Amino acid sequence: MAKANNRASEQTAIVEQGLTPALKEAAFAALVTFGLCIPIVAWGTRQDLNNRLILDQRWDAVAWAVLIVFVGRLLVSLNKQRRAAGGGPLVSMPNALLPAMAKLLPVLAPLAIGFLFVFPIVAIFGSGWQGSIKWIDNFGVQILIYVMLGWGLNIVVGLAGLLDLGYVAFYAVGAYSYALFATKVIPATYPALGVWAFWICLPIAGLLAAFWGVLLGFPVLRLRGDYLAIVTLAFGEIIRLVLINWVDFSGGYAGISTIPRPSFFGIPFNASDSGFAAVFGLEFSPLYRTIFLYYVILMLALLTAFVTIRLRRMPVGRAWEALREDEIACRSLGINTTSTKLTAFAIGAGFGGVAGAFFAARQGFISPESFTFMESAVVLAIVVLGGMGSLWGVAIAAVAMIGGPELMREMDLLKPIFGADFDPTKYRMLIFGLAMVVIMIWKPRGLISTREPTAFLKESKSVSGSLVKEGHG
Amino acid sequence: MSAMTEPAAAVATSPRQPLLSVRGVKAYYGNIIALKGVDVDVHPGEIVTLIGANGAGKSTLMMTVFGNPRAREGQVIYDGQDITRTETHLIARMGLAQSPEGRRIFPRMTVYENLQMGASVDNFAHFDQDLERICTIFPRLKERLQQRGGTLSGGEQQMLAIGRALMSRPQLLMLDEPSLGLAPLIVKMIFDTIRDLNKSEGLTVFLVEQNAFHALKLAHRGYVMVNGVITMSGSGKELLANPQVRAAYLEGGRH
Ligand SMILES: Nc1ncnc2c1ncn2[C@@H]1O[C@H](COP(=O)(O)OP(=O)(O)O)[C@@H](O)[C@H]1O
Ligand SMILES: [Mg+2]
């Protein structure tokens, strides 16, 4: 924290004062925006009824963009000047909020986890029996999948410091292992195990993904930073291309459908007499499955967090973090960096694989389109924005990045402003990018950038005070 | 070239088999040669210093002993075993520890965690005991166990680097310019600590220094390196008295 503050004051020390320089800066930014908008925004194309391409002029949109950038830049410049002038401890609200939150964490943590456990009930009370499916599935399950992916990738990127742009490959390996086992292998060998398919395949998917994590790990052992990023990115693409082109194995573009859904420990969620509703004397509703899926992914995500917390306190976890800080120092302290990296890749990939298996079971259908580079980028963005290593940061970032756009879709109040046919999902990437730029300016090291120590001293045990006198210096 | 005359004071073993023996080592960075055939011996219980100007290859020699960069020719023998081709992390488990150039502590980890990293070699078998020992040697670290390494002062970081190396209970401690950028008082304290460790525990020390005066006063024997070659060697006293050494490294001579 102290370092960040120093740096901020160094930056602002040379800020010119006054309205004119601020206006100049704003005008320049507006000009750049205008220039950028001419090729990108100013013209729109559409097809008319005769399939002819029509060119629309959209100068109003350009004007809005330029205006927004002008005002935004002006405010930023003025704020910078005020800080440079030492205008008192002017801390913007969210900046003050985070340290306060960090202090409250011991209280907030159980509250947040408690809320996650009652969330389906809250949703049912809030929006009724039917309406709650949307909330539990689109928000709860969706966000939790990304929380789990974020926490899994956090082991590789956040803790071990190995920049992995191909994480989606392991997600795909997990999803396809479940899909193939459940639709092909189990029916062909022990069809009786069908209802248990999900529970049997979950660990298999994790192990297979971990295995692929090690396979990726070996060739990249000597790479770091950008080079590692490029190779992992290629790895993600290779897996996707293989899935597309090896049609006999994976179904190609068509993907795999009718993937068995998870059972309630052997009792399927269907309307039959042996189904979940009938067994428990309830009226059939698809909601039960959704709620069940919610709790499954919640437990899987919490398992990921639990394992991460435990590992961080063990030698291997500490070695990951030391590796992130200084690989050469690690080696000269007797750390086997090869096995340290491979375990990070394997465990991170394993969690990605488990999440993938869950994804396949929840969707019932998978195809290579679900495993594009975009997914890797989103998960990596979640880890980076969250603060590289902080479980809370990653979770908050996942809620904001995945829940935010979903929430915007639900907000009717935006319609009158932007017109009835306004569809916020079209602007998803724009909002995504904007959020990243804002967070990187406001908190360049992620939402929660302070690292939690893994070891706490037990006063009595460690060092007795009398020893101090014997020292010299 | 003055011969090695005065035997080291603390040497106990009768057949003078060196603990560390560097024989004709050549090391390269790519195609650029950094060590052009270096011979250095360190006997058990000795403090041996290696002095030389910036870029002479002192750090390279220390790192070559640890296998990074690897010696392309010659041999590194530690405790009777050839470690020329041994992996770095395995060398570190044989009783060699180093405080590298630039200290290389883990800045985001606490002092306590840094010391834990030092103890991973022997699987934390003596962790509590060794932690107490380090805190006795460096009381300033004791007060800062929960502080992040990166927020320590330069002197404290150097103490941490040495402490971290000592956590593995080494036979041979290699230090690369521990005095760099430190106030004279701290330098004295650190050199005193090295002397005490050598006297009381018989710890063997290999000390790379540019601060030739202090290093030669402390060491039993010394080597002078110029451009990847050892040009002189002898007891600390001899080298201190040597006119060439005085001219080049002591009397304000900048090389
Ligand atoms: N990583 C490296 N890559 C290439 N050349 C290096 C590297 N490290 C050191 N050198 C070169 O090797 C020579 C010896 O360097 P070094 O061992 O650091 O000297 P000293 O520690 O005596 O100051 C210098 O010429 C230096 O430029
Ligand atoms: Mg050096």
Side-chain angles (χ1 to χ4, degrees):
Chain A
M1 291 308 271
K3 244 187 201 163
N5 287 341
N6 281 343
R7 209 205 29 190
S9 58
E10 273 162 31
Q11 269 178 1
T12 49
I14 44 159
V15 171
E16 276 184 80
Q17 294 292 322
L19 192 62
T20 332
L23 279 173
K24 254 191 218 161
E25 265 182 56
F28 181 70
L31 194 70
V32 171
T33 314
F34 182 69
L36 282 175
C37 278
I38 288 178
I40 302 172
V41 182
W43 284 284
T45 54
R46 65 187 157 87
Q47 285 179 326
D48 70 358
L49 291 174
N50 302 324
N51 271 344
R52 274 181 312 198
L53 214 57
I54 307 273
L55 204 61
D56 290 326
Q57 304 213 357
R58 302 201 303 181
W59 295 104
D60 53 333
V62 175
W64 275 112
V66 170
L67 188 71
I68 289 170
V69 168
F70 182 81
V71 173
R73 181 70 225 189
L74 190 66
L75 291 178
V76 168
S77 304
L78 288 175
N79 188 34
K80 234 192 205 170
Q81 286 184 7
R82 195 164 36 184
R83 267 196 283 172
L90 187 131
V91 186
S92 58
M93 201 268 297
N95 248 331
L97 202 65
L98 278 178
M101 264 176 60
K103 272 198 211 97
L104 284 177
L105 214 58
V107 188
L108 283 181
L111 280 182
I113 293 172
F115 173 75
L116 286 177
F117 274 97
V118 297
F119 174 73
I121 300 164
V122 174
I124 290 169
F125 274 105
S127 54
W129 204 243
Q130 278 308 313
S132 63
I133 290 189
K134 182 181 73 192
W135 286 96
I136 299 170
D137 196 46
N138 289 7
F139 282 86
V141 176
Q142 182 79 358
I143 290 174
L144 283 172
I145 289 178
Y146 280 92
V147 169
M148 180 165 178
L149 286 173
W151 282 345
L153 184 60
N154 179 52
I155 293 176
V156 185
V157 178
L159 295 184
L162 304 163
L163 188 50
D164 182 353
L165 287 183
Y167 193 59
V168 74
F170 309 119
Y171 192 40
V173 167
Y176 272 86
S177 350
Y178 171 60
L180 290 171
F181 264 97
T183 57
K184 300 225 168 95
V185 179
I186 290 183
T189 50
Y190 296 100
L193 288 176
V195 281
W196 289 96
F198 178 70
W199 298 105
I200 297 167
C201 293
L202 208 55
I204 295 177
L207 288 176
L208 277 175
F211 171 72
W212 280 93
V214 174
L215 276 196
L216 167 67
F218 265 113
V220 300
L221 277 173
R222 296 169 145 271
L223 304 180
R224 277 193 86 76
D226 331 10
Y227 297 99
L228 178 62
I230 290 169
V231 176
T232 51
L233 183 139
F235 181 76
E237 285 301 287
I238 289 170
I239 296 270
R240 193 174 63 90
L241 290 173
V242 167
L243 290 175
I244 289 174
N245 290 301
W246 192 1
V247 179
D248 295 340
F249 175 73
S250 63
Y253 276 116
I256 300 173
S257 49
T258 62
I259 300 169
R261 318 300 297 273
S263 61
F264 184 80
F265 307 105
I267 306 169
F269 287 95
N270 54 25
S272 72
D273 283 348
S274 57
F276 177 82
V279 170
F280 287 88
L282 302 162
E283 201 178 318
F284 174 74
S285 158
L287 184 61
Y288 296 128
R289 171 160 44 213
T290 308
I291 293 175
F292 178 67
L293 283 174
Y294 174 86
Y295 282 111
V296 170
I297 187 67
L298 178 60
M299 295 320 289
L300 290 176
L302 289 179
L303 177 76
T304 313
F306 177 75
V307 170
T308 306
I309 291 170
R310 291 309 300 257
L311 284 176
R312 267 195 74 205
R313 294 188 182 159
M314 283 160 55
V316 59
R318 231 178 355 251
W320 288 340
E321 291 195 80
L323 187 72
R324 175 188 65 196
E325 313 238 313
D326 194 328
E327 188 171 340
I328 294 176
C330 271
R331 252 188 253 133
S332 58
L333 290 172
I335 307 289
N336 185 345
T337 49
T338 304
S339 63
T340 305
K341 282 183 189 180
L342 289 181
T343 47
F345 272 119
I347 295 177
F351 285 122
V354 171
F358 175 84
F359 174 77
R362 171 215 186 200
Q363 303 291 101
F365 163 75
I366 53 168
S367 78
E369 260 161 66
S370 308
F371 307 105
T372 56
F373 170 66
M374 235 355 263
E375 294 299 310
S376 293
V378 167
V379 178
L380 184 67
I382 286 172
V383 175
V384 173
L385 294 182
M388 300 275 268
S390 160
L391 292 179
W392 284 105
V394 170
I396 294 168
V399 171
M401 302 278 285
I402 306 301
E406 286 296 327
L407 200 63
M408 282 191 58
R409 187 152 51 179
E410 299 300 319
M411 283 196 284
D412 291 331
L413 68 144
L414 293 174
K415 293 239 159 86
I417 307 176
F418 295 102
D421 59 348
F422 173 70
D423 177 10
T425 46
K426 274 205 278 186
Y427 297 92
R428 193 163 172 237
M429 291 325 292
L430 186 71
I431 297 162
F432 231 73
L434 208 63
M436 287 181 65
V437 170
V438 167
I439 292 184
M440 283 296 121
I441 290 173
W442 166 54
K443 287 222 141 243
R445 305 189 63 187
L447 287 172
I448 300 185
S449 52
T450 40
R451 180 184 164 276
E452 285 260 316
T454 56
F456 299 94
L457 284 183
K458 288 158 257 144
E459 285 300 329
S460 56
K461 188 180 161 196
S462 54
V463 186
S464 47
S466 63
L467 289 167
V468 181
K469 294 181 200 91
E470 296 167 24
H472 21 89
Chain B
M1 276 259 191
S2 48
M4 292 189 290
T5 45
E6 204 178 57
V11 175
T13 43
S14 44
R16 297 205 8 152
Q17 194 211 21
L19 182 60
L20 174 73
S21 176
V22 175
R23 293 264 147 271
V25 160
K26 293 189 182 174
Y28 294 73
Y29 290 109
N31 287 324
I32 301 163
I33 188 160
L35 299 179
K36 304 170 183 167
V38 172
D39 293 282
V40 165
D41 281 321
V42 181
H43 295 277
E46 266 187 322
I47 300 179
V48 173
T49 188
L50 174 65
I51 59 174
N54 232 330
K58 307 182 296 293
S59 303
T60 306
L61 176 61
M62 209 176 108
M63 293 310 289
T64 304
V65 169
F66 274 81
N68 174 37
R70 242 172 235 306
R72 236 182 252 182
E73 277 175 49
Q75 272 185 316
V76 181
I77 293 161
Y78 175 75
D79 206 7
Q81 279 171 281
D82 187 341
I83 57 167
T84 323
R85 302 266 166 269
T86 312
E87 280 182 78
T88 302
H89 72 272
L90 296 177
I91 294 174
R93 293 178 191 181
M94 298 174 71
L96 247 87
Q98 64 164 324
S99 155
E101 181 165 39
R103 290 144 202 168
R104 286 184 176 268
I105 55 156
F106 304 113
R108 290 183 74 191
M109 300 171 86
T110 62
V111 170
Y112 186 83
E113 287 168 316
N114 267 278
L115 293 174
Q116 278 183 317
M117 291 308 299
S120 34
V121 166
D122 59 358
N123 259 326
F124 305 93
H126 325 276
F127 181 74
D128 290 335
Q129 232 173 312
D130 289 355
L131 180 67
E132 269 196 42
R133 175 167 162 247
I134 303 303
C135 289
T136 315
I137 299 171
F138 300 115
R140 284 172 72 161
L141 291 184
K142 185 196 177 221
E143 299 154 22
R144 293 173 174 75
L145 283 174
Q146 289 300 82
Q147 196 174 324
R148 277 161 225 285
T151 62
L152 296 176
S153 75
E156 288 155 2
Q157 290 194 5
Q158 186 58 58
M159 294 175 207
L160 178 56
I162 297 175
R164 189 179 64 179
L166 289 174
M167 288 299 283
S168 65
R169 299 197 165 182
Q171 278 178 285
L172 171 59
L173 176 65
M174 306 185 86
L175 303 166
D176 196 344
E177 303 209 30
S179 74
L180 192 71
L182 301 186
L185 258 175
I186 307 279
V187 173
K188 183 175 178 316
M189 183 249 145
I190 285 177
F191 277 31
D192 284 347
T193 307
I194 296 169
R195 180 180 292 121
D196 283 359
L197 284 169
N198 174 260
K199 276 225 180 86
S200 62
E201 305 178 14
L203 178 71
T204 314
V205 179
F206 183 75
L207 174 68
V208 168
E209 260 302 339
Q210 282 206 61
N211 193 335
F213 179 69
H214 278 104
L216 290 174
K217 265 182 54 176
L218 171 70
H220 301 120
R221 287 191 305 114
Y223 291 88
V224 179
M225 184 181 261
V226 177
N227 280 331
V229 182
I230 300 288
T231 54
M232 268 182 271
S233 66
S235 75
K237 275 190 200 127
E238 274 173 3
L239 288 176
L240 263 180
N242 184 305
Q244 274 171 287
V245 173
R246 294 192 75 89
Y249 305 105
L250 295 173
E251 285 154 2
R254 223 183 52 82
H255 203 65

